[in-house]
Amino acid sequence: MDVHPLSLYELNALVKRSITSCMPDTYWLQAELSDVRSNYSGHCYLEFVQKEPRGNNLIAKARGTIWNNVYRLLKPYFEEETGQAFVAGIKVLVEVSVEFHELYGYSLTVLNIDPTYTLGDMARRRREILKQLDEEGVLTLNKELELPLLTQRIAVISSATAAGYGDFCNQLEHNPYGFVFYPRLFPAVMQGDRVEETIIAALDTINARRDDWDVVVIIRGGGATSDLSGFDTYDLAANCAQFPLPVITGIGHERDDTVLDSVSHTRVKTPTAAAEFLINHLRSTAETLEDYASSILYAVTTRMEREKTRLTRLVERIPMQTRMRLREERYRQERVIRQMEVNLQSRLMRESHRLELVEKQLGSLLQKKLTEENHRLRFLEQQIKAASPEHLLKRGYSITLKEGKAVTDASCLKEGDKLVTRFAKGEVESIVITDK
């Protein structure tokens, strides 16, 4: 077999000529950037990828190049129009030419870019995030919070070196009404890859002592509009939407709202606008309080005048009311005296009648008692007479006395005792003689 072999360079050169002849035009390409790198020369090297519609698997990949003279015009144009950094992870619509190099192989050279495609994709992603938050029922939670009347204790999330933070504090401090505010900075990165992480960390710190603050202000001020992608994330939006304090955003851009703006309580354009919002809110509160004070003063003054007039009328009526009251009291006393006389007369009659009844009852009871006592006395008299010694002596009994005392026991006598024996009529003396 007589075959003339090709060198690798010759084969690649053949492929290059074939591609150049078959694909001489430029093409608009939809793809996602997976890698974006610029070198010292100003050229930008990137990688285009396409993923499965319902997955994350790669189905196509190609290297791309943006030469320095195109890149220095294309990048600021894209970022200015979209407010999105030209970085990996975004979808783009670019005009490319197909290249093949003998040494570096297949690649795409970017000649132009359409920012509206990326804007549409960013808007779609925002809509998806907002739809998810709405389905979860948290989209408007922060907006539904009532802004405190006195929003003086302000938790500020911003970069410590941001000019916007200084403008915000200066605006609050030099407000024309002399209101006093107490802002405190909770530092966070406001551009780049750590926006979401650091703002959520600051919110967690504030939430740990949420009773110390009236409102949260997230301000950015300055910086490139291309760094706004960090404010279009689901986690940051969900944290802000469910935060227990009202969140005010002023991240320094005037085009479409970010997802963070959409879920915050109030969105303003700049840090100074956020300060003006708080000053005006406090001024509105002060005016309301002044209106209340004026209303109270008017009401009190009116009430005092009305009560003064009423008191004057009452004072004028006192003499007449006093005479009328004295007359009424005199009539009442006369009625009371007459009633007392009638009651006393009636009581005297009742008591007299009752006394007569008592006297009759006492007389009857006394007579009955006297009769009963006479009977008892006669009975006692008879008993006493029957029991008297004289009566007993008359019945034939005698009584023996020793030294004036009756002898009832013979064993108590001894020989020689003198005894007196008394009879109904007379008495005899005797001496005790014992038998030997």
Side-chain angles (χ1 to χ4, degrees):
M1 182 176 179
D2 186 12
V3 178
H4 178 68
L6 298 175
S7 68
L8 178 59
Y9 178 82
E10 292 173 332
L11 179 61
N12 284 352
L14 179 61
V15 171
K16 179 178 179 179
R17 288 194 298 272
S18 299
I19 292 177
T20 301
S21 62
C22 293
M23 305 183 71
D25 302 323
T26 60
Y27 305 90
W28 283 98
L29 170 69
Q30 297 176 350
E32 179 181 328
L33 300 180
S34 68
D35 185 24
V36 178
R37 293 175 289 105
S38 57
N39 64 8
Y40 67 93
S41 63
H43 304 313
C44 178
Y45 300 98
L46 38 80
E47 185 176 73
F48 297 106
V49 296
Q50 182 178 347
K51 299 177 182 177
E52 291 181 344
R54 297 186 179 182
N56 206 37
N57 296 327
L58 294 181
I59 58 176
K61 181 170 65 172
R63 291 186 300 105
T65 305
I66 309 177
W67 302 118
N68 179 26
N69 61 328
V70 176
Y71 186 61
R72 68 171 179 265
L73 299 175
L74 184 147
K75 180 177 184 293
Y77 165 67
F78 174 84
E79 293 181 347
E80 177 67 23
E81 290 296 315
T82 64
Q84 165 71 53
F86 190 76
V87 293
I90 62 173
K91 290 185 178 180
V92 294
L93 177 61
V94 291
E95 184 181 12
V96 299
S97 62
V98 181
E99 307 287 346
F100 189 88
H101 191 274
E102 293 85 346
L103 179 60
Y104 301 110
Y106 165 71
S107 68
L108 303 173
T109 300
V110 177
L111 305 174
N112 200 358
I113 191 167
D114 184 0
T116 58
Y117 176 81
T118 303
L119 284 172
D121 183 66
M122 292 166 58
R124 178 187 58 78
R125 284 192 297 170
R126 288 177 187 149
R127 288 195 301 270
E128 290 174 352
I129 293 173
L130 294 175
K131 181 181 178 181
Q132 182 178 352
L133 293 171
D134 189 33
E135 291 173 349
E136 293 171 357
V138 301
L139 179 63
T140 62
L141 288 182
N142 199 261
K143 295 182 182 296
E144 294 168 6
L145 296 177
E146 185 175 352
L147 197 65
L149 292 176
L150 301 177
T151 51
Q152 295 174 283
R153 304 174 301 168
I154 306 167
V156 184
I157 299 177
S158 182
S159 171
T161 58
Y165 172 64
D167 294 340
F168 174 80
C169 293
N170 185 65
Q171 190 83 356
L172 290 180
E173 184 178 356
H174 297 95
N175 69 87
Y177 309 103
F179 297 144
V180 178
F181 294 90
Y182 305 96
R184 177 181 170 185
L185 177 65
F186 291 83
V189 176
M190 304 307 287
Q191 59 184 16
D193 297 335
R194 300 187 61 227
V195 171
E196 177 187 71
E197 170 194 347
T198 56
I199 292 181
I200 291 176
L203 288 172
D204 291 340
T205 303
I206 296 169
N207 188 45
R209 299 187 63 180
R210 57 183 175 274
D211 292 338
D212 294 343
W213 310 105
D214 301 317
V215 67
V216 176
V217 176
I218 302 177
I219 53 178
R220 178 171 173 264
T225 57
S226 61
D227 295 318
L228 294 175
S229 59
F231 300 96
D232 282 326
T233 67
Y234 168 80
D235 288 340
L236 179 56
N239 271 271
C240 285
Q242 300 175 81
F243 202 70
L245 296 175
V247 177
I248 299 172
T249 57
I251 53 181
H253 64 102
E254 298 185 8
R255 56 179 66 248
D256 295 339
D257 291 347
T258 65
V259 175
L260 180 62
D261 291 322
S262 299
V263 301
S264 65
H265 183 280
T266 302
R267 183 256 187 183
V268 294
K269 294 180 180 179
T270 63
T272 53
E276 280 299 322
F277 173 80
L278 294 172
I279 293 169
N280 290 333
H281 176 73
L282 198 56
R283 180 175 60 83
S284 175
T285 300
E287 290 176 351
T288 302
L289 292 176
E290 289 174 358
D291 291 342
Y292 288 156
S294 298
S295 299
I296 292 172
L297 180 61
Y298 175 76
V300 170
T301 303
T302 304
R303 183 64 179 270
M304 290 292 289
E305 290 296 329
R306 188 166 63 247
E307 291 301 319
K308 183 178 179 180
T309 303
R310 190 173 71 89
L311 186 60
T312 301
R313 291 198 299 267
L314 290 174
V315 170
E316 291 173 350
R317 293 170 55 186
I318 286 176
M320 182 182 66
Q321 292 289 338
T322 302
R323 288 193 297 271
M324 291 179 60
R325 185 60 182 269
L326 287 173
R327 189 179 303 116
E328 290 175 357
E329 288 300 318
R330 184 165 59 252
Y331 291 154
R332 190 179 67 83
Q333 289 177 6
E334 290 174 355
R335 289 197 301 271
V336 170
I337 291 172
R338 286 196 297 270
Q339 187 65 40
M340 289 177 64
E341 291 175 350
V342 172
N343 291 340
L344 181 59
Q345 189 65 30
S346 176
R347 181 66 181 269
L348 285 173
M349 292 177 62
R350 288 199 305 271
E351 292 301 320
S352 297
H353 180 66
R354 191 173 68 83
L355 193 57
E356 289 175 359
L357 292 176
V358 171
E359 287 178 352
K360 290 178 181 180
Q361 291 175 352
L362 285 175
S364 175
L365 291 173
L366 183 59
Q367 187 62 38
K368 181 180 179 181
K369 188 69 172 178
L370 287 173
T371 301
E372 291 176 353
E373 292 300 321
N374 285 333
H375 290 164
R376 193 172 68 83
L377 286 174
R378 285 196 296 272
F379 177 73
L380 290 175
E381 183 180 4
Q382 291 175 1
Q383 286 183 329
I384 291 171
K385 287 181 179 179
S388 66
E390 289 79 5
H391 184 72
L392 291 175
L393 290 175
K394 287 179 180 179
R395 292 175 59 187
Y397 292 98
S398 61
I399 184 171
T400 301
L401 304 172
K402 176 186 174 182
E403 298 177 351
K405 297 181 180 181
V407 177
T408 59
D409 187 359
S411 63
C412 294
L413 300 175
K414 61 182 180 293
E415 188 175 359
D417 289 339
K418 293 181 179 182
L419 302 175
V420 177
T421 301
R422 185 178 294 173
F423 301 95
K425 294 182 179 180
E427 56 183 29
V428 294
E429 294 182 357
S430 58
I431 297 174
V432 178
I433 299 175
T434 59
D435 294 332
K436 299 291 188 168

